[in-house]
């Protein structure tokens, strides 16, 4: 069944008068839309922008279903989520680089260098000799300063590996001495922790260790974004419908009755501004029509995905040709836009091929990596090099190993060596 409708002609007839405002409005995310419209309204005394955010953000919300690899929709935390800038990991750590833990300028300088050499997971992977040279110190002093991070938040930060991170996190916990000593033994011999089961404090100690975060920067690492989906794909049995999520769209009011003491003199000015206001209304409607058409095209091309299959990336140039615009214009149009369906919430970009390969998207690669690791041999987890080989075999393309490492990190999947340790902990504890 053809889901796509012919809206191109309608759009093109309006472009001549509204293109100037249509493109910025189309390219804005739903959260930016009110601000974008407000910029046009500043120059027009006959336009008033009515916000939908303030009046409707905290009511009539139902919890949206979240599918695998999906993002969270906006929930009960309200509009203030978007108004409060969260503290970054770097900012949080730097605020703690103060006496008495870091009493001198040298110790503080070393600590800041250590922060600069943390990877995305929160582990330290810098060169201590290089840091020592930059801070006019020595590597022993750098190591001494690094170990003080055991007393900072988030717990486990700046450790060199999983086991040391567990030691750091233990130092940050308020546990009885008897439990602490058992935890020390267990962390030092995690692969064989079951041999300590006879210890009366074993269960409590394992409960403490199980509460540790891995990786240590988990709370700051690849946070899910609270977002408003632009396109809703509603499925009932085999019927699929596309809707634009207009709930949070601001409205435009045109004040045609506005009085002016020199109204006759300014008659042409008034007519011009009212026309501009109506063009702005048309531009907002065109945004809805454009996104609706994009939604229809995605559902048509990606029908198998909505029925539970894999994404088959579309080419951005095909969408550009459909609208009669350059691919760069359409690329900006789908940027920061999201689609919600029964499988979760996904960026529109996920449905299009990227620079990785014309016919293979990074989403497809990530899904493949996720499946590989889900089904891997727990005794011999797949290395990044092996994952790279399997991807090249399946998709017949060439990529570099660091791309696999990046995708694995984005999926919050530990390295093969760390997965092996975690698998052993999990197996032995059952």
């Amino acid at each position: 069944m053809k889901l796509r409708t012919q809206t191109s002609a309608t759009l093109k007839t309006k472009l001549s008068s509204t293109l100037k405002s249509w493109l910025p409005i189309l390219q804005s995310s739903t959260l930016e839309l009110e601000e974008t419209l407000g910029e046009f309204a500043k120059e027009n005394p006959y336009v008033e922008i009515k916000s939908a955010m303030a009046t409707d953000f905290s009511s009539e919300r139902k919890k949206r279903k979240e599918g695998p690899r999906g993002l969270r929709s906006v929930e009960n935390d309200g509009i203030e989520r978007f108004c409060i800038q969260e503290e970054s990991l770097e900012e949080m750590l730097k605020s703690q680089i103060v006496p008495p833990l870091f009493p001198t300028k040298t110790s503080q300088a070393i600590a800041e260098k250590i922060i600069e050499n943390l990877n995305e997971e929160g582990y330290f992977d810098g060169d201590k000799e290089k840091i020592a040279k930059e801070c006019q110190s020595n590597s022993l002093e750098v190591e001494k300063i690094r170990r003080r991070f055991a007393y900072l938040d988030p717990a486990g930060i700046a450790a060199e590996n999983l086991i040391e991170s567990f030691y750091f996190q233990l130092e940050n916990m308020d546990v009885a001495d008897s439990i602490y000593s058992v935890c020390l033994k267990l962390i030092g011999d995690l692969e064989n922790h079951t041999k300590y089961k006879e210890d009366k404090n074993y269960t409590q100690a394992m409960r403490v260790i199980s509460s540790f975060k891995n990786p240590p920067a988990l709370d700051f690492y690849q946070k899910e974004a609270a977002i408003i989906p632009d396109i809703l794909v509603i499925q009932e049995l085999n019927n699929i419908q596309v809707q634009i999520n207009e709930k949070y769209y601001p409205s435009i009011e045109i004040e045609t009755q506005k009085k002016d003491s020199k109204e006759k003199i300014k008659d042409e000015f008034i007519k011009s501004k009212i026309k501009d206001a109506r063009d702005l209304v048309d531009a907002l409607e065109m945004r809805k029509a454009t996104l609706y058409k994009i939604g229809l095209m995605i559902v048509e091309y990606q029908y198998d995905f909505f029925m539970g299959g894999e994404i088959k990336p579309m080419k951005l140039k095909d969408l550009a040709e459909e609208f009669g615009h350059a691919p760069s214009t359409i690329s900006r149009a789908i940027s920061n836009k999201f689609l919600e369906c029964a499988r979760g919430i996904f960026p529109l970009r996920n449905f299009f091929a990227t620079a990785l390969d014309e016919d293979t998207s990074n989403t497809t690669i990530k899904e493949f990596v996720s499946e590989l690791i889900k089904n891997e041999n727990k005794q011999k987890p797949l290395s990044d090099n092996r994952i790279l080989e399997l991807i090249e075999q399946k998709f017949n393309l060439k990529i570099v190993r660091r791309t696999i490492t990046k995708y694995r990190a984005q999926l919050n999947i530990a390295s093969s060596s760390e997965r092996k340790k975690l698998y052993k902990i999990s197996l032995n504890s059952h």
Side-chain angles (χ1 to χ4, degrees), residues 181-397:
S181 60
V182 176
C183 286
L184 280 177
K185 286 193 292 187
L186 293 176
I187 294 171
D189 196 16
L190 268 180
E191 294 183 8
N192 303 302
H193 68 85
T194 52
K195 74 181 185 183
Y196 300 97
K197 275 189 173 181
E198 299 305 315
D199 192 303
K200 64 179 182 179
N201 293 313
Y202 170 83
T203 302
Q204 286 178 280
M206 280 304 295
R207 192 174 293 126
V208 169
I209 293 172
S210 298
S211 72
F212 293 162
K213 288 178 179 173
N214 176 53
L218 184 64
D219 288 344
F220 295 83
Y221 174 63
Q222 295 297 323
K223 284 192 173 182
E224 292 177 319
I227 56 100
I228 298 173
D230 301 86
I231 299 170
L232 306 176
V233 175
I234 300 165
Q235 295 169 249
E236 294 179 1
L237 298 176
N238 290 325
N239 184 38
I240 300 181
Q241 291 185 337
V242 175
Q243 291 182 7
I244 295 301
N245 186 13
E246 300 181 48
K247 187 174 181 180
Y248 302 110
Y249 271 46
S251 59
I252 302 171
E253 291 189 2
I254 303 175
E255 300 182 15
T256 55
Q257 303 303 315
K258 188 179 275 286
K259 300 295 181 182
D260 193 294
S261 58
K262 299 179 180 178
E263 193 167 317
K264 290 183 180 179
I265 298 174
K266 295 190 174 181
D267 189 49
E268 289 303 315
F269 169 82
I270 293 168
K271 286 181 180 178
S272 172
K273 288 301 180 183
I274 289 177
K275 181 185 180 300
D276 288 345
R278 287 173 177 155
D279 286 346
L280 197 62
V281 173
D282 283 344
L284 186 58
E285 290 302 314
M286 286 174 62
R287 180 190 200 273
K288 297 174 188 177
T290 305
L291 288 175
Y292 178 69
K293 183 175 181 182
I294 290 173
L296 290 173
M297 292 179 69
I298 288 174
V299 169
E300 179 180 341
Y301 287 110
Q302 304 289 352
Y303 185 81
D304 290 344
F305 168 77
F306 294 104
M307 292 293 107
E310 293 185 4
I311 288 176
K312 296 176 181 176
M314 305 158 61
K315 295 179 181 179
L316 200 57
K317 65 181 181 181
D318 292 338
L319 193 62
E321 287 172 3
E322 189 77 22
F323 285 96
H325 288 285
S328 59
T329 299
I330 300 302
S331 177
R332 289 193 296 272
I334 65 172
S335 179
N336 299 316
K337 307 289 192 308
F338 296 84
L339 177 149
E340 179 172 10
C341 62
R343 297 184 67 177
I345 300 177
F346 301 86
L348 293 190
R349 284 191 177 279
N350 282 20
F351 297 99
F352 296 88
T354 66
L356 211 165
D357 183 77
E358 268 294 294
D359 298 307
T360 307
S361 75
N362 54 8
T363 302
T364 306
I365 299 293
K366 287 180 187 178
E367 288 187 349
F368 183 65
V369 170
S370 183
E371 285 300 312
L372 283 177
I373 291 175
K374 187 192 300 182
N375 300 305
E376 71 183 350
N377 182 341
K378 303 294 188 287
Q379 304 298 321
K380 193 176 180 182
L382 297 167
S383 67
D384 286 355
N385 281 329
R386 180 54 183 155
I387 292 172
L388 176 64
E389 291 173 8
L390 293 170
I391 287 172
E392 290 180 341
Q393 289 171 16
K394 180 173 176 64
F395 298 102
N396 192 30
L397 54 83

Side-chain angles (χ1 to χ4, degrees), residues 133-146:
K133 187 175 180 181
E134 290 173 345
C135 297
Q136 297 181 331
S137 184
N138 58 73
S139 58
L140 290 177
E141 184 66 15
V142 172
E143 175 62 8
K144 179 180 170 183
I145 298 299
R146 185 187 69 81

Side-chain angles (χ1 to χ4, degrees), residues 19-151:
L19 183 60
K20 183 180 178 182
S21 54
W22 174 68
L23 282 174
I25 289 171
L26 176 63
Q27 291 167 9
S28 299
S29 68
T30 302
L31 289 171
E32 298 166 338
L33 192 53
E34 186 176 325
E35 183 181 349
T36 302
L37 291 171
E39 288 300 313
F40 288 103
K42 282 180 184 178
E43 302 172 3
N44 195 327
Y46 296 89
V47 172
E48 184 178 357
I49 308 300
K50 294 285 187 181
S51 173
M53 296 289 188
T55 57
D56 203 27
F57 221 105
S58 59
S59 62
E60 300 180 26
R61 290 193 206 99
K62 61 180 180 179
K63 196 166 185 178
R64 300 183 183 277
K65 184 175 180 182
E66 181 179 327
R69 296 172 297 281
L71 297 173
R72 278 190 299 115
S73 181
V74 173
E75 294 297 341
N76 295 327
D77 43 5
I79 189 63
E80 57 270 18
R81 166 180 287 277
F82 303 100
C83 301
I84 300 171
Q85 184 176 1
E86 293 186 349
E87 188 178 35
S88 70
L89 175 60
E90 182 180 5
E91 289 168 340
M92 182 181 183
L93 290 172
K94 284 187 175 180
S95 70
Q96 300 174 75
I97 307 304
V98 293
L101 270 179
F102 308 97
T104 66
K105 286 186 178 180
T106 299
S107 65
Q108 291 169 10
I110 291 172
E112 292 199 1
K113 288 292 181 183
I114 289 170
I115 293 171
E116 291 172 12
N117 283 274
L118 299 180
N119 63 24
E120 287 184 331
E121 296 179 323
Y123 291 111
F124 175 77
D125 59 4
D127 184 332
K128 294 173 194 172
E129 292 286 352
K130 183 180 177 183
I131 292 174
K133 187 175 180 181
E134 290 173 345
C135 297
Q136 297 181 331
S137 184
N138 58 73
S139 58
L140 290 177
E141 184 66 15
V142 172
E143 175 62 8
K144 179 180 170 183
I145 298 299
R146 185 187 69 81
R147 288 182 175 273
R148 293 180 192 171
F149 277 69
Y151 305 100

